[in-house]
Amino acid sequence: MKITMAAEYAVRCVLYLAQQGSDVLVNRQEIASQARIPDSFLTKIAQDLARAGIITIKQGAKGGYALHRPPRQVNMLEVVEAIIGEISLNECVTKPAACPASPNCAANLVWQEARRRVRDTLRAADFESLAQAGACVSPFPPPPSPPETRP
Amino acid sequence: MKITMAAEYAVRCVLYLAQQGSDVLVNRQEIASQARIPDSFLTKIAQDLARAGIITIKQGAKGGYALHRPPRQVNMLEVVEAIIGEISLNECVTKPAACPASPNCAANLVWQEARRRVRDTLRAADFESLAQAGACVSPFPPPPSPPETRP
DNA sequence: GATAAATAAGACTAAAAAAATCCTATTTAT
DNA sequence: ATAAATAGGATTTTTTTAGTCTTATTTATC
């Protein structure tokens, strides 16, 4: 029930790029070290992200990666699914053939609902917000701040 | 990002027991064949369920498994987590040590939110509802039924 | 109390997936 | 032409999952 490391790395990679702003080319080693991603692994991840139209790869000397779109238009769901494929929590939902009873199974609907909610949550998180939030803030309503104690 | 087969089997096992009603002892082979669970694998799963206080195991001749509580008081979250441990979608949330930046990471909060929603959804699904729903109905508001065509 | 019918418990194995790594090829700025 | 980058695929290692097997224990029944 875990996202893979590759997907986590992908999110960190795109988040790092988003922090630099749109269209800024960053070389792979910098991304790898700053986002703590094994450099050689990042090549694989970047290829998936590029195929999904999330980043642009420039080869050759002075090459590197950049966001392909404004960070506002990229969300966590896209990034994660670019790496691991469409999220689904169980077999029943993915391959109905695996469970002949699935259309008659109430549990199946619960899995579908859970899946929908995870995907909605990730979809709501765009990288402009994430990058702006930066330290410790979230795209969700933050907890009310404690009343000021000093005038 | 998948639940394990063991967890799916556990849900089916408990669902099958819930359908028989509370306190009805069912032998393992019956459960295994009806819920399509490899018989020997079910022994492992049952042990976890028993440890979690979800089922009762009776050994010896005429032994078998039964729900330990009314189905109303058992939910999918419990059953799943009895098998795979507490659900968490990524490392950042589970082991903060793995990511020194986690308290400063907006993505982390999104993961936490997603996790919360999955767990809430599974928690809301109790086995009385699931068993009653039986065919094709869900614990979530069902789609409006089509108008009757025959008086 | 002996026996047969059940499950327990844990060691073990096989298969699949995840996480990298490595090597050769290609692209591009200078 | 050269050096600095990335591409892409093959390969490897590690971890997890899924399942099996064997021996031991429990309990109803005769």
Side-chain angles (χ1 to χ4, degrees), chain B residues 107-129:
Chain B
N108 189 263
L109 295 178
V110 177
W111 288 119
Q112 287 188 38
E113 176 72 10
R115 167 184 189 241
R116 218 203 73 220
R117 292 192 191 186
V118 173
R119 297 183 79 235
D120 287 350
T121 303
L122 296 180
R123 190 184 293 112
D126 73 272
F127 278 83
E128 183 173 287
S129 306

mmCIF file of all heavy atoms in Angstrom, chain B residues 107-129:
data_model
loop_
_atom_site.group_PDB
_atom_site.id
_atom_site.type_symbol
_atom_site.label_atom_id
_atom_site.label_comp_id
_atom_site.label_asym_id
_atom_site.label_seq_id
_atom_site.Cartn_x
_atom_site.Cartn_y
_atom_site.Cartn_z
ATOM 1 N N ALA B 107 4.359 18.670 -0.116
ATOM 2 C CA ALA B 107 3.898 17.409 -0.682
ATOM 3 C C ALA B 107 3.561 16.412 0.429
ATOM 4 O O ALA B 107 2.602 15.642 0.335
ATOM 5 C CB ALA B 107 4.960 16.821 -1.606
ATOM 6 N N ASN B 108 4.342 16.475 1.463
ATOM 7 C CA ASN B 108 4.123 15.595 2.599
ATOM 8 C C ASN B 108 2.707 15.736 3.156
ATOM 9 O O ASN B 108 2.061 14.756 3.499
ATOM 10 C CB ASN B 108 5.128 15.966 3.685
ATOM 11 C CG ASN B 108 5.125 14.959 4.816
ATOM 12 O OD1 ASN B 108 4.475 15.166 5.825
ATOM 13 N ND2 ASN B 108 5.801 13.858 4.613
ATOM 14 N N LEU B 109 2.226 16.955 3.215
ATOM 15 C CA LEU B 109 0.885 17.174 3.756
ATOM 16 C C LEU B 109 -0.180 16.627 2.821
ATOM 17 O O LEU B 109 -1.235 16.181 3.262
ATOM 18 C CB LEU B 109 0.661 18.664 3.997
ATOM 19 C CG LEU B 109 1.576 19.271 5.071
ATOM 20 C CD1 LEU B 109 1.307 20.762 5.213
ATOM 21 C CD2 LEU B 109 1.358 18.574 6.408
ATOM 22 N N VAL B 110 0.111 16.655 1.560
ATOM 23 C CA VAL B 110 -0.839 16.086 0.601
ATOM 24 C C VAL B 110 -0.911 14.578 0.801
ATOM 25 O O VAL B 110 -1.995 13.992 0.834
ATOM 26 C CB VAL B 110 -0.431 16.406 -0.844
ATOM 27 C CG1 VAL B 110 -1.391 15.746 -1.824
ATOM 28 C CG2 VAL B 110 -0.395 17.910 -1.060
ATOM 29 N N TRP B 111 0.232 13.955 0.958
ATOM 30 C CA TRP B 111 0.243 12.526 1.219
ATOM 31 C C TRP B 111 -0.526 12.190 2.486
ATOM 32 O O TRP B 111 -1.274 11.216 2.541
ATOM 33 C CB TRP B 111 1.673 11.991 1.358
ATOM 34 C CG TRP B 111 2.431 11.929 0.080
ATOM 35 C CD1 TRP B 111 3.592 12.586 -0.212
ATOM 36 C CD2 TRP B 111 2.110 11.168 -1.091
ATOM 37 N NE1 TRP B 111 3.993 12.295 -1.478
ATOM 38 C CE2 TRP B 111 3.117 11.428 -2.038
ATOM 39 C CE3 TRP B 111 1.068 10.311 -1.411
ATOM 40 C CZ2 TRP B 111 3.101 10.840 -3.305
ATOM 41 C CZ3 TRP B 111 1.055 9.727 -2.663
ATOM 42 C CH2 TRP B 111 2.062 9.987 -3.592
ATOM 43 N N GLN B 112 -0.341 13.005 3.494
ATOM 44 C CA GLN B 112 -1.051 12.741 4.739
ATOM 45 C C GLN B 112 -2.559 12.860 4.544
ATOM 46 O O GLN B 112 -3.326 12.077 5.086
ATOM 47 C CB GLN B 112 -0.606 13.721 5.819
ATOM 48 C CG GLN B 112 0.778 13.431 6.339
ATOM 49 C CD GLN B 112 1.127 14.298 7.541
ATOM 50 O OE1 GLN B 112 0.283 14.562 8.375
ATOM 51 N NE2 GLN B 112 2.372 14.740 7.613
ATOM 52 N N GLU B 113 -2.949 13.854 3.796
ATOM 53 C CA GLU B 113 -4.372 14.048 3.528
ATOM 54 C C GLU B 113 -4.948 12.858 2.754
ATOM 55 O O GLU B 113 -6.018 12.337 3.080
ATOM 56 C CB GLU B 113 -4.573 15.345 2.726
ATOM 57 C CG GLU B 113 -5.998 15.623 2.289
ATOM 58 C CD GLU B 113 -6.917 16.032 3.417
ATOM 59 O OE1 GLU B 113 -6.431 16.290 4.533
ATOM 60 O OE2 GLU B 113 -8.148 16.090 3.175
ATOM 61 N N ALA B 114 -4.211 12.428 1.753
ATOM 62 C CA ALA B 114 -4.678 11.297 0.945
ATOM 63 C C ALA B 114 -4.828 10.053 1.823
ATOM 64 O O ALA B 114 -5.827 9.326 1.747
ATOM 65 C CB ALA B 114 -3.705 11.025 -0.191
ATOM 66 N N ARG B 115 -3.843 9.869 2.653
ATOM 67 C CA ARG B 115 -3.882 8.725 3.560
ATOM 68 C C ARG B 115 -5.088 8.805 4.475
ATOM 69 O O ARG B 115 -5.805 7.827 4.672
ATOM 70 C CB ARG B 115 -2.604 8.728 4.390
ATOM 71 C CG ARG B 115 -2.653 7.789 5.560
ATOM 72 C CD ARG B 115 -1.388 7.914 6.385
ATOM 73 N NE ARG B 115 -1.324 6.894 7.391
ATOM 74 C CZ ARG B 115 -1.287 7.148 8.703
ATOM 75 N NH1 ARG B 115 -1.293 8.397 9.145
ATOM 76 N NH2 ARG B 115 -1.236 6.149 9.557
ATOM 77 N N ARG B 116 -5.326 9.978 5.021
ATOM 78 C CA ARG B 116 -6.452 10.162 5.933
ATOM 79 C C ARG B 116 -7.751 9.784 5.232
ATOM 80 O O ARG B 116 -8.612 9.112 5.785
ATOM 81 C CB ARG B 116 -6.514 11.629 6.365
ATOM 82 C CG ARG B 116 -6.904 11.843 7.824
ATOM 83 C CD ARG B 116 -7.481 13.233 8.026
ATOM 84 N NE ARG B 116 -8.813 13.337 7.461
ATOM 85 C CZ ARG B 116 -9.277 14.388 6.796
ATOM 86 N NH1 ARG B 116 -8.511 15.448 6.564
ATOM 87 N NH2 ARG B 116 -10.510 14.372 6.311
ATOM 88 N N ARG B 117 -7.876 10.191 3.987
ATOM 89 C CA ARG B 117 -9.129 9.931 3.280
ATOM 90 C C ARG B 117 -9.330 8.453 2.970
ATOM 91 O O ARG B 117 -10.443 7.948 3.029
ATOM 92 C CB ARG B 117 -9.164 10.755 1.999
ATOM 93 C CG ARG B 117 -9.260 12.231 2.297
ATOM 94 C CD ARG B 117 -9.588 13.006 1.062
ATOM 95 N NE ARG B 117 -9.435 14.444 1.299
ATOM 96 C CZ ARG B 117 -9.769 15.374 0.420
ATOM 97 N NH1 ARG B 117 -10.255 15.029 -0.750
ATOM 98 N NH2 ARG B 117 -9.597 16.644 0.695
ATOM 99 N N VAL B 118 -8.260 7.795 2.602
ATOM 100 C CA VAL B 118 -8.384 6.349 2.372
ATOM 101 C C VAL B 118 -8.823 5.659 3.650
ATOM 102 O O VAL B 118 -9.773 4.879 3.654
ATOM 103 C CB VAL B 118 -7.043 5.716 1.941
ATOM 104 C CG1 VAL B 118 -7.171 4.203 1.883
ATOM 105 C CG2 VAL B 118 -6.615 6.255 0.600
ATOM 106 N N ARG B 119 -8.157 6.009 4.725
ATOM 107 C CA ARG B 119 -8.474 5.345 5.987
ATOM 108 C C ARG B 119 -9.906 5.655 6.422
ATOM 109 O O ARG B 119 -10.629 4.784 6.904
ATOM 110 C CB ARG B 119 -7.457 5.729 7.060
ATOM 111 C CG ARG B 119 -6.035 5.261 6.683
ATOM 112 C CD ARG B 119 -5.022 5.565 7.776
ATOM 113 N NE ARG B 119 -5.077 4.606 8.850
ATOM 114 C CZ ARG B 119 -5.249 4.928 10.130
ATOM 115 N NH1 ARG B 119 -5.407 6.179 10.492
ATOM 116 N NH2 ARG B 119 -5.287 3.985 11.046
ATOM 117 N N ASP B 120 -10.330 6.889 6.248
ATOM 118 C CA ASP B 120 -11.701 7.238 6.610
ATOM 119 C C ASP B 120 -12.718 6.448 5.785
ATOM 120 O O ASP B 120 -13.752 6.011 6.299
ATOM 121 C CB ASP B 120 -11.945 8.738 6.404
ATOM 122 C CG ASP B 120 -11.247 9.582 7.475
ATOM 123 O OD1 ASP B 120 -10.748 8.998 8.463
ATOM 124 O OD2 ASP B 120 -11.181 10.817 7.309
ATOM 125 N N THR B 121 -12.413 6.304 4.526
ATOM 126 C CA THR B 121 -13.340 5.576 3.647
ATOM 127 C C THR B 121 -13.462 4.121 4.075
ATOM 128 O O THR B 121 -14.559 3.574 4.165
ATOM 129 C CB THR B 121 -12.845 5.632 2.185
ATOM 130 O OG1 THR B 121 -12.720 6.995 1.804
ATOM 131 C CG2 THR B 121 -13.817 4.918 1.257
ATOM 132 N N LEU B 122 -12.335 3.509 4.362
ATOM 133 C CA LEU B 122 -12.365 2.104 4.761
ATOM 134 C C LEU B 122 -13.011 1.954 6.136
ATOM 135 O O LEU B 122 -13.739 0.998 6.394
ATOM 136 C CB LEU B 122 -10.958 1.516 4.777
ATOM 137 C CG LEU B 122 -10.239 1.460 3.428
ATOM 138 C CD1 LEU B 122 -8.846 0.864 3.592
ATOM 139 C CD2 LEU B 122 -11.036 0.633 2.419
ATOM 140 N N ARG B 123 -12.770 2.930 6.997
ATOM 141 C CA ARG B 123 -13.333 2.867 8.348
ATOM 142 C C ARG B 123 -14.853 2.958 8.311
ATOM 143 O O ARG B 123 -15.557 2.379 9.132
ATOM 144 C CB ARG B 123 -12.755 3.984 9.210
ATOM 145 C CG ARG B 123 -13.099 3.836 10.687
ATOM 146 C CD ARG B 123 -12.587 5.017 11.513
ATOM 147 N NE ARG B 123 -11.130 5.074 11.571
ATOM 148 C CZ ARG B 123 -10.376 6.022 11.000
ATOM 149 N NH1 ARG B 123 -10.949 7.008 10.334
ATOM 150 N NH2 ARG B 123 -9.068 5.989 11.096
ATOM 151 N N ALA B 124 -15.360 3.679 7.334
ATOM 152 C CA ALA B 124 -16.807 3.879 7.250
ATOM 153 C C ALA B 124 -17.540 2.625 6.760
ATOM 154 O O ALA B 124 -18.762 2.539 6.844
ATOM 155 C CB ALA B 124 -17.117 5.050 6.328
ATOM 156 N N ALA B 125 -16.787 1.681 6.247
ATOM 157 C CA ALA B 125 -17.422 0.490 5.679
ATOM 158 C C ALA B 125 -17.479 -0.645 6.691
ATOM 159 O O ALA B 125 -16.526 -1.411 6.839
ATOM 160 C CB ALA B 125 -16.655 0.048 4.427
ATOM 161 N N ASP B 126 -18.591 -0.747 7.371
ATOM 162 C CA ASP B 126 -18.727 -1.841 8.342
ATOM 163 C C ASP B 126 -19.288 -3.086 7.651
ATOM 164 O O ASP B 126 -19.932 -2.991 6.606
ATOM 165 C CB ASP B 126 -19.616 -1.433 9.517
ATOM 166 C CG ASP B 126 -21.066 -1.364 9.117
ATOM 167 O OD1 ASP B 126 -21.507 -0.291 8.649
ATOM 168 O OD2 ASP B 126 -21.755 -2.396 9.246
ATOM 169 N N PHE B 127 -19.046 -4.230 8.260
ATOM 170 C CA PHE B 127 -19.377 -5.480 7.599
ATOM 171 C C PHE B 127 -20.852 -5.849 7.658
ATOM 172 O O PHE B 127 -21.303 -6.692 6.883
ATOM 173 C CB PHE B 127 -18.478 -6.614 8.106
ATOM 174 C CG PHE B 127 -17.148 -6.611 7.421
ATOM 175 C CD1 PHE B 127 -16.126 -5.774 7.866
ATOM 176 C CD2 PHE B 127 -16.920 -7.390 6.302
ATOM 177 C CE1 PHE B 127 -14.903 -5.745 7.216
ATOM 178 C CE2 PHE B 127 -15.701 -7.360 5.652
ATOM 179 C CZ PHE B 127 -14.682 -6.533 6.101
ATOM 180 N N GLU B 128 -21.592 -5.240 8.543
ATOM 181 C CA GLU B 128 -23.026 -5.475 8.487
ATOM 182 C C GLU B 128 -23.566 -4.873 7.189
ATOM 183 O O GLU B 128 -24.263 -5.536 6.415
ATOM 184 C CB GLU B 128 -23.739 -4.850 9.690
ATOM 185 C CG GLU B 128 -25.227 -5.142 9.683
ATOM 186 C CD GLU B 128 -25.910 -4.660 10.961
ATOM 187 O OE1 GLU B 128 -25.706 -5.296 12.009
ATOM 188 O OE2 GLU B 128 -26.620 -3.628 10.898
ATOM 189 N N SER B 129 -23.211 -3.627 6.951
ATOM 190 C CA SER B 129 -23.645 -2.975 5.715
ATOM 191 C C SER B 129 -23.154 -3.741 4.494
ATOM 192 O O SER B 129 -23.912 -3.981 3.552
ATOM 193 C CB SER B 129 -23.088 -1.553 5.641
ATOM 194 O OG SER B 129 -23.426 -0.838 6.801
#
